[in-house]
Amino acid sequence: MDRRPAEKKMRRSGRDPQAFSAHLAQWLATVLPAGAADPDVVVHEGVEANGLSSETVFVDATWTENGRQQAGRFVARVAPAAEDVPVFPEYALQDQYDAMRLVAELTDVPVPRVRWMEPTGEVIGSPFFLMDRVEGVVPPDVLPYNFGGNWLFDASPDEQRRLQDVTVETIAKLHAIPDASSTFGFLTPREGAEGDSLLARNLARTRAWYDFATTDLGRSPLVERGLAWLTANLPETHETVLSWGDSRIGNILYRDFAPVAVLDWEMAAIGPRELDISWMISAHQVFESITTVMAMPGMPHFLREEDAKATYEKVTGIALGDLQWYHVYNGVRWCIVFMRTGARQIHFGEVERPGDIETLMHSRPLLERLLDEVGA
């Protein structure tokens, strides 16, 4: 019997696509090269199978340039409107744009070419930028790839391992960018007192994010238990690399099990390299914990911590430290993500408001286990 639940689409926006097309065409006329005119825009549905935060909208555009017909296939990354219950309290799209641009200039990590930035929100009601569209396949989030019935689940163990290893290698290339603290200084978390470590500032930003999430749903004893343990057990580290932030396979387009586009830079920061490796592992463990509850086989052989750490050391020559603190940290952050996406589902009438808000957290069993393991 197939135990997979019916596929759902999670609504992210109440934006009118026809108005979006018209406003985008008018704006394109102001940013296209000299000699370009008469842009026409067709907006398609965004990505439904992946991503929980920013709007991702496919855009086809045509225009004339020096008498010739031109065409472009783009993706718009749009900051969600406040009334659509955004996941994060703010969306620094200019920072995302600049991070992608710099990564493309400084590495061979495949990122889409960023085109034009609209930072004011005056065109469509929210800031956005356009980047080139890249063709590839992505491990789905809805339903999660480890539920079965998709290209990654059905791949051979060797193909799955190839994807895993090259993903770790891609993250390692990001971490190898020199002088990250100065090159990507604009990503420094503002929270935390002057002189605090970057890790402390990242934790402070997470705490502020949780406080933002409570405004719609109320407080979570589980998240607060996690934050208390994290604060009391903060590791001492001053290592600084570019942290992609949302470093999971669901944010990568693949061809032949190799990355062709690294996407979703809204959680980018600078800090210890363990942040990214733990987030990649934790994201898979969130999905695995769901399959365990549902008595599904999942993919327990995939993205195991010992394998990811070994590959990272082989590629970089650097042995990662203990990831326990980072796993708890990311377990907390996943719970906050689900607080916000749950609040949005309530807002759009997709689910009823539960009596216990922690039932919205698909990562709850994972964080409970992690906190039990550390004695919190």
Side-chain angles (χ1 to χ4, degrees):
M1 182 177 68
D2 188 352
R3 292 188 175 89
R4 290 177 296 163
E7 185 171 349
K8 294 181 179 180
K9 290 186 176 181
M10 295 178 65
R11 189 173 177 187
R12 296 166 176 81
S13 171
R15 201 179 305 280
D16 179 358
Q18 289 188 336
F20 189 123
S21 298
H23 294 149
L24 194 58
Q26 292 172 3
W27 173 76
L28 270 178
T30 69
V31 298
L32 286 169
D38 302 322
D40 183 66
V41 169
V42 176
V43 171
H44 303 279
E45 281 193 22
V47 178
E48 296 286 356
N50 284 70
L52 299 171
S53 183
S54 294
E55 294 180 59
T56 301
V57 183
F58 291 162
V59 175
D60 290 338
T62 57
W63 64 92
T64 57
E65 187 172 340
N66 298 321
R68 291 188 171 185
Q69 186 79 2
Q70 303 290 336
R73 302 174 74 240
F74 306 112
V75 174
R77 287 288 283 178
V78 185
E83 60 268 23
D84 289 335
V85 192
V87 169
F88 298 104
E90 62 178 355
Y91 286 76
L93 284 192
Q94 186 67 59
D95 289 352
Q96 296 179 44
Y97 181 98
D98 289 339
M100 294 176 70
R101 175 181 56 81
L102 286 167
V103 167
E105 292 174 2
L106 298 171
T107 75
D108 63 357
V109 171
V111 292
R113 178 185 178 188
V114 290
R115 292 287 191 153
W116 304 286
M117 176 77 207
E118 200 300 292
T120 68
E122 295 175 358
V123 175
I124 61 169
S126 298
F128 67 92
F129 64 84
L130 289 189
M131 57 187 173
D132 286 355
R133 197 184 315 170
V134 179
E135 297 300 326
V137 292
V138 62
D141 290 343
V142 183
L143 296 167
Y145 57 84
N146 66 329
F147 280 29
N150 59 81
W151 65 273
L152 180 57
F153 187 91
D154 295 336
S156 71
D158 286 345
E159 290 170 329
Q160 292 172 350
R161 184 56 187 259
R162 167 172 161 73
L163 181 144
Q164 173 183 306
D165 288 347
V166 295
T167 301
V168 173
E169 291 168 12
T170 298
I171 294 171
K173 289 179 180 179
L174 295 173
H175 294 174
I177 300 174
D179 303 318
S181 59
S182 56
T183 303
F184 298 95
F186 56 91
L187 298 176
T188 303
R190 291 185 291 274
E191 292 82 358
E194 189 69 26
D196 282 353
S197 71
L198 282 171
L199 193 57
R201 291 188 176 199
N202 277 290
L203 177 57
R205 180 165 60 182
T206 295
R207 187 178 295 108
W209 180 25
Y210 166 68
D211 290 337
F212 166 74
T214 64
T215 58
D216 286 309
L217 290 180
R219 310 196 75 82
S220 162
L222 179 64
V223 170
E224 293 181 1
R225 177 182 159 202
L227 288 170
W229 183 87
L230 291 166
T231 302
N233 293 276
L234 187 73
E236 289 188 14
T237 176
H238 298 283
E239 188 174 40
T240 305
V241 300
L242 168 64
S243 173
W244 170 20
D246 203 354
S247 51
R248 58 191 190 87
I249 62 172
N251 285 332
I252 298 179
L253 286 168
Y254 295 91
R255 284 202 296 268
D256 297 325
F257 301 92
V260 292
V262 175
L263 310 171
D264 288 14
W265 289 81
E266 62 203 5
M267 294 174 68
I270 53 176
R273 62 187 73 233
E274 285 85 1
L275 286 170
D276 275 339
I277 299 301
S278 172
W279 183 258
M280 178 186 66
I281 295 166
S282 297
H284 179 66
Q285 287 304 315
V286 168
F287 289 161
E288 283 294 285
S289 67
I290 299 172
T291 59
T292 298
V293 170
M294 299 177 66
M296 297 171 66
M299 295 173 63
H301 62 286
F302 185 64
L303 281 176
R304 297 186 305 175
E305 178 177 335
E306 58 268 32
D307 295 333
K309 290 177 73 172
T311 300
Y312 190 91
E313 184 173 2
K314 179 181 178 181
V315 171
T316 64
I318 297 170
L320 294 171
D322 185 2
L323 296 184
Q324 187 177 58
W325 188 93
Y326 298 92
H327 290 338
V328 174
Y329 176 64
N330 287 323
V332 165
R333 295 204 296 169
W334 271 107
C335 282
I336 300 171
V337 167
F338 289 125
M339 287 178 70
R340 294 304 296 159
T341 57
R344 186 169 58 203
Q345 288 184 289
I346 294 168
H347 169 74
F348 283 121
E350 295 171 341
V351 298
E352 296 290 331
R353 184 185 183 95
D356 177 3
I357 65 163
E358 291 182 354
T359 61
L360 296 169
M361 301 174 183
H362 302 297
S363 53
R364 178 180 182 175
L366 176 63
L367 182 56
E368 288 175 333
R369 176 175 63 79
L370 290 169
L371 290 175
D372 287 344
E373 289 175 356
V374 299

